[in-house]
Amino acid sequence: MWVQLLLVLLVGVSPAVISAQIQDRSPRGEAQWMLERLTGVKWAADEPLIAQMAQKISAGDRTGAAALAIQKPQFLNVTVRDMGLKMSTREETVREKFNDFAAGLIGVVRDDIDGRELLYGNFYYRANTSVLASSDFELLTSNAHYETLENQNRDLGAVLVRVNGQKLIQSNAGAIGANSDPAGILTSRTFLAAHAVAGTNRRLVEYTFREFMCAKMEDWADTGAPDGFIGRDIDRAPGGVPQRFQTTCKGCHTSMDGFRGAFAKYDYREATIAATLVSSPSRIGDSPAELTNPDNLTDGAGGVAKKMNRPNENGVTTVLFETGFVTRNDSWVNNAIRPGNALRFGWRGLAPSGASTANARGVNSFGRLIANSVRFPQCMSKRVWEAVCKHQLSNGEMELLQVSLGMAFEGSGYNFKELFKTVAAHPKCRL
């Protein structure tokens, strides 16, 4: 308001005129706003596409105007990229280097792929080898490939290609093989580097729900759920008070520990070999996610990463509750099925047909459970709303909006382009 008053004093322009100029509600003004929100960059008023979009808006076809805007390369290079970067790490910021997680999202959006495949597809995106050649080993042990594309200001939507068949480094010696349990960007190097390094892989569950179900851990904690899958590393009487476990710790761990078995065979470990030894080390560079095998990476049969049962650096298991659950394979159970969470997430099985979650194993099946829930399309609608509209409505209004947008997203075959267009054209996106 003080800016408007200052302008009135300096140039004699009334607040009403200034407000009209700032919030240009004409078809042309709306077209420029929509173009800038969908592409993430400013455009000159004489940009030819603005006039074309304005014609669509004048005719009442805002979705058609949005369809013109997303043809600009900046839609993928800026808006979709930033959405992916924000979801890719613990920091949840766009100030991340371009990475394989964001590349996967760009590819799925560009290629009109069913958005659910982000969580269970057996593919990844990299630059066309004619643009930037990198070996499988380089892609798995470093983010340099994607950072180079960013540093060279490449048109990401033009240079990224889909590669079917995810790969992993499967031993200390650097042997590369097919990932037998692929799960889209859940098994991307970036997501695993952020959440599978050290720890006990609980964070992988937490952030899958946080990023793809828009549910923080405290939102879906349930002290009434069964605790049979809670690991031995969780004290059942913290501070000597059993009631504290029952009223606090148990709520998060009942569901989180039930799910974390899906990631039991994954471990991301930082390099321990000095750069001067790269010529002949037993381990090279920045390790990718590793599907562990018996070369001193497992804890008995089943290929389970040792950290799942909490050994310390000397290999001595940390046991705070002797009869706690011991992870022996990659099976998992969904304990988030009591009334509150059942309503919140809307579980529909591992596939659209409603396949059972009984005897579920691995990350791929876990990703399918998440992707086929009612909550997933609602959450993706919220992510797109944040990326385009850049403001929040009241909690109640936002919940209703997520429901309607989620239904539209699902109805489009989980097509992200359609979701971006629908959101940009929504009357409440521009306040």
Side-chain angles (χ1 to χ4, degrees):
M1 185 66 180
W2 65 270
V3 175
Q4 293 183 2
L5 293 175
L6 181 60
L7 288 172
V8 170
L9 294 174
L10 292 176
V11 299
V13 180
S14 73
V17 172
I18 293 170
S19 179
Q21 291 173 342
I22 294 174
Q23 299 290 334
D24 185 352
R25 297 292 178 176
S26 69
R28 193 175 185 91
E30 185 174 347
Q32 183 167 355
W33 170 87
M34 184 181 289
L35 178 61
E36 291 178 350
R37 286 304 177 90
L38 282 169
T39 61
V41 297
K42 293 290 185 181
W43 293 90
D46 59 356
E47 160 61 38
L49 190 61
I50 293 176
Q52 299 175 42
M53 291 175 62
Q55 289 181 344
K56 294 278 188 183
I57 291 172
S58 294
D61 185 10
R62 286 175 170 78
T63 303
L68 294 175
I70 65 173
Q71 294 175 17
K72 286 288 190 181
Q74 292 86 351
F75 166 64
L76 295 172
N77 291 339
V78 180
T79 301
V80 178
R81 178 204 65 189
D82 286 357
M83 176 177 158
L85 292 179
K86 190 173 181 180
M87 297 173 66
S88 69
T89 67
R90 296 175 67 181
E91 290 71 26
E92 297 181 308
T93 174
V94 299
R95 296 183 181 88
E96 294 288 340
K97 296 293 186 180
F98 183 53
N99 54 52
D100 61 344
F101 183 106
L105 179 60
I106 289 174
V108 166
V109 175
R110 183 197 66 190
D111 296 343
D112 296 315
I113 295 172
D114 184 324
R116 292 173 297 179
E117 289 197 36
L118 282 172
L119 302 185
Y120 57 75
N122 187 16
F123 60 84
Y124 63 97
Y125 281 82
R126 53 158 296 162
N128 190 308
T129 54
S130 64
V131 173
L132 181 62
S134 297
S135 67
D136 289 338
F137 189 82
E138 291 170 321
L139 288 168
L140 290 171
T141 58
S142 169
N143 194 49
H145 178 85
Y146 299 96
E147 291 182 27
T148 298
L149 294 179
E150 182 177 56
N151 294 338
Q152 293 179 352
N153 294 315
R154 293 285 187 172
D155 180 351
L156 302 175
V159 304
L160 290 175
V161 295
R162 173 176 168 138
V163 181
N164 292 319
Q166 291 187 357
K167 299 177 178 66
L168 292 174
I169 288 183
Q170 297 177 322
S171 73
N172 277 344
I176 295 174
N179 184 355
S180 61
D181 189 23
I185 55 180
L186 293 183
T187 47
S188 66
R189 179 183 177 278
T190 299
F191 197 70
L192 289 159
H195 308 305
V197 62
T200 54
N201 286 357
R202 291 181 173 99
R203 196 163 63 242
L204 284 161
V205 175
E206 177 188 358
Y207 273 81
T208 298
F209 274 79
R210 187 179 179 100
E211 305 303 343
F212 298 100
M213 301 286 259
C214 296
K216 296 180 181 179
M217 193 65 245
E218 57 267 28
D219 296 337
W220 57 291
D222 181 6
T223 56
D227 60 6
F229 279 81
I230 299 180
R232 295 181 298 170
D233 59 312
I234 302 301
D235 193 347
R236 295 332 192 253
V241 183
Q243 187 63 21
R244 186 177 299 169
F245 167 78
Q246 292 292 335
T247 58
T248 56
C249 312
K250 180 184 174 184
C252 292
H253 284 285
T254 50
S255 296
M256 187 162 52
D257 283 33
F259 281 126
R260 78 178 176 117
F263 296 94
K265 295 183 178 181
Y266 283 90
D267 189 13
Y268 183 98
R269 292 176 296 153
E270 299 294 343
T272 57
I273 302 300
T276 55
L277 300 177
V278 168
S279 59
S280 59
S282 60
R283 184 176 194 80
I284 300 177
D286 185 17
S287 170
E290 293 175 345
L291 190 59
T292 58
N293 69 8
D295 65 347
N296 199 35
L297 299 176
T298 65
D299 185 21
V304 173
K306 281 186 173 182
K307 66 179 184 178
M308 293 297 293
N309 294 308
R310 282 305 293 255
N312 62 23
E313 292 182 357
N314 298 317
V316 179
T317 303
T318 302
V319 178
L320 297 177
F321 189 69
E322 188 66 39
T323 59
F325 185 75
V326 177
T327 302
R328 302 190 186 282
N329 55 44
D330 60 355
S331 62
W332 55 267
V333 63
N334 182 2
N335 282 331
I337 56 175
R338 281 161 44 86
N341 281 328
L343 179 62
R344 176 178 289 106
F345 298 127
W347 304 117
R348 293 185 287 198
L350 303 183
S353 61
S356 173
T357 60
N359 302 313
R361 300 284 291 269
V363 190
N364 183 278
S365 62
F366 172 68
R368 288 180 183 275
L369 177 76
I370 302 298
N372 288 298
S373 69
V374 173
R375 183 75 172 190
F376 171 71
Q378 294 176 2
C379 180
M380 292 303 96
S381 298
K382 182 179 181 180
R383 297 288 178 229
V384 171
W385 183 275
E386 292 168 345
V388 176
C389 309
K390 302 186 185 304
H391 68 82
Q392 291 288 338
L393 304 174
S394 66
N395 290 339
E397 196 171 17
M398 199 68 214
E399 284 288 340
L400 290 174
L401 186 63
Q402 286 175 228
V403 170
S404 62
L405 291 174
M407 291 176 64
F409 182 41
E410 188 171 344
S412 73
Y414 297 88
N415 186 295
F416 269 101
K417 284 181 188 172
E418 293 301 317
L419 179 57
F420 272 96
K421 290 188 292 185
T422 301
V423 167
H426 196 281
K428 293 187 176 180
C429 185
R430 188 189 186 197
L431 292 181

